[in-house]
């Protein structure tokens, strides 16, 4: 048993740091040496976490391999504090419609009709979208991929489900929405832009070009992200 333990210690990520600290600063017996040891442990832990992050980026083929859920907008699929594991967004599973117009940087209300119903909470929620000759039933979107994109309003990553992929004349775009009908009753891009250019009721002003999607959900680690939320907030 002793030989087995002796072997595995060489694979411990902190074993060589322990050797270095003891050889250079001595055993952590007094307060000063303990503080020095802890400074090295903290710095090394951040470095190790960064290297692991880079390794998973290479393995998964994305610049952001993990994202932390910071709200309840995706309940009951994802909860606040879950860590979402992201894979390459090159192939997205979504309802696809062809639309023979340019839509880049256009307000959705110019080319999409939104139909609403009253939900179980007594609130209006989007029921379907009409895009040209295509009708997208919101109840049929839940096999679509969950993706991460950066909001051009908040500049923060948003973790929501694809509602539809639009193949337009000027490229491929997606619309997204949180699964929680109590808090996310319409798509993220269904917003009001008044005559002064003020924007409200949306997370992203226009349909999102698919090349701006950071990654798609391939798994999750429940609640581990609470550590990040506790340390750094949202």
């Amino acid at each position: 048993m002793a030989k087995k333990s002796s072997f595995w210690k060489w694979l411990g990520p902190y074993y060589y740091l322990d050797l270095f600290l003891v050889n250079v600063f001595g055993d952590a017996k007094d307060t000063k040496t303990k503080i020095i040891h802890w400074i090295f442990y903290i710095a090394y832990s951040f470095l190790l976490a960064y290297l692991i992050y880079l390794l998973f980026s290479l393995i998964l083929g994305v610049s952001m391999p993990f994202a932390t859920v910071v709200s309840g907008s995706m309940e009951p699929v994802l909860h606040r504090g879950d860590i979402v594991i992201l894979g390459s967004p090159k192939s997205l599973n979504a309802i696809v419609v062809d639309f023979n117009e340019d839509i880049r940087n256009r307000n959705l209300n110019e080319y999409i009709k939104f139909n609403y119903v009253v939900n179980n909470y007594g609130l209006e929620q989007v029921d379907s979208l009409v895009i040209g000759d295509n009708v997208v039933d919101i109840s049929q979107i839940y096999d679509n991929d969950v993706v991460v994109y950066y909001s051009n309003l908040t500049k923060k990553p948003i973790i929501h489900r694809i509602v539809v992929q639009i193949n337009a004349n000027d490229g491929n775009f997606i619309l997204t929405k949180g699964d929680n009908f109590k808090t996310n009753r319409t798509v993220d891009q269904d917003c009001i832009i008044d005559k002064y250019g003020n924007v409200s009721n949306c997370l992203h002003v226009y349909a999102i070009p698919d090349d701006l999607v950071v990654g798609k959900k391939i798994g999750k680690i429940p609640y581990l992200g609470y550590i990040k939320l506790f340390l750094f907030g949202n």
Side-chain angles (χ1 to χ4, degrees):
M1 189 70 180
K3 289 184 178 180
K4 185 176 180 180
S5 299
S6 178
F7 169 77
W8 285 109
K9 73 179 181 181
W10 297 99
L11 300 180
Y14 289 90
Y15 178 70
Y16 298 98
L17 178 62
D18 289 335
L19 290 178
F20 169 78
L21 292 174
V22 171
N23 288 332
V24 176
F25 301 104
D27 291 324
K29 294 180 179 180
D30 57 85
T31 301
K32 179 181 177 181
T33 307
K34 287 180 180 178
I35 292 174
I36 293 173
H37 278 226
W38 274 110
I39 290 173
F40 273 89
Y41 278 128
I42 293 171
Y44 180 76
S45 297
F46 277 104
L47 176 62
L48 188 62
Y50 177 69
L51 293 175
I52 291 173
Y53 189 91
L54 289 181
L55 177 62
F56 274 94
S57 294
L58 292 173
I59 293 172
L60 298 174
V62 291
S63 59
M64 180 192 294
F66 307 109
T68 303
V69 180
V70 300
S71 74
S73 67
M74 280 298 294
E75 292 180 359
V77 175
L78 297 171
H79 296 83
R80 178 175 164 82
D82 288 350
I83 289 181
V84 178
I85 304 170
L86 300 176
S88 172
K90 291 182 179 179
S91 176
L92 296 174
N93 180 43
I95 298 169
V96 179
V97 301
D98 295 318
F99 188 54
N100 191 29
E101 291 186 24
D102 293 344
I103 66 172
R104 188 179 299 272
N105 297 336
R106 286 180 62 188
N107 186 342
L108 267 61
N109 293 315
E110 295 179 18
Y111 59 94
I112 296 178
K113 177 184 177 183
F114 293 88
N115 296 318
Y116 290 85
V117 296
V118 177
N119 65 21
N120 295 333
Y121 302 101
L123 302 169
E124 281 195 338
Q125 70 181 40
V126 64
D127 180 60
S128 63
L129 314 179
V130 181
I131 308 171
D133 297 327
N134 304 282
V135 178
V136 178
D137 183 350
I138 294 297
S139 67
Q140 302 300 313
I141 70 171
Y142 295 102
D143 287 331
N144 290 0
D145 280 328
V146 173
V147 297
V148 172
Y149 69 92
Y150 274 94
S151 166
N152 63 4
L153 294 178
T154 67
K155 309 304 179 185
K156 295 180 179 180
I158 305 297
I159 306 172
H160 279 174
R161 188 179 304 278
I162 301 176
V163 173
V164 62
Q165 179 173 310
I166 305 173
N167 294 340
N169 284 349
D170 53 347
N172 297 328
F173 302 81
I174 63 170
L175 307 182
T176 56
K177 178 185 176 300
D179 283 356
N180 189 339
F181 269 116
K182 189 174 182 179
T183 59
N184 296 76
R185 303 193 305 275
T186 188
V187 301
D188 300 332
Q189 297 74 33
D190 180 19
C191 52
I192 299 169
I193 304 177
D194 65 23
K195 63 182 180 180
Y196 302 107
N198 299 314
V199 178
S200 60
N201 300 332
C202 62
L203 292 175
H204 195 92
V205 181
Y206 309 113
I208 305 163
D210 60 3
D211 59 356
L212 295 184
V213 176
V214 177
K216 66 179 181 181
K217 172 181 171 287
I218 60 174
K220 71 173 183 178
I221 305 172
Y223 303 117
L224 185 61
Y226 266 114
I227 298 172
K228 175 187 174 183
L229 296 180
F230 175 76
L231 292 174
F232 304 107
N234 292 345

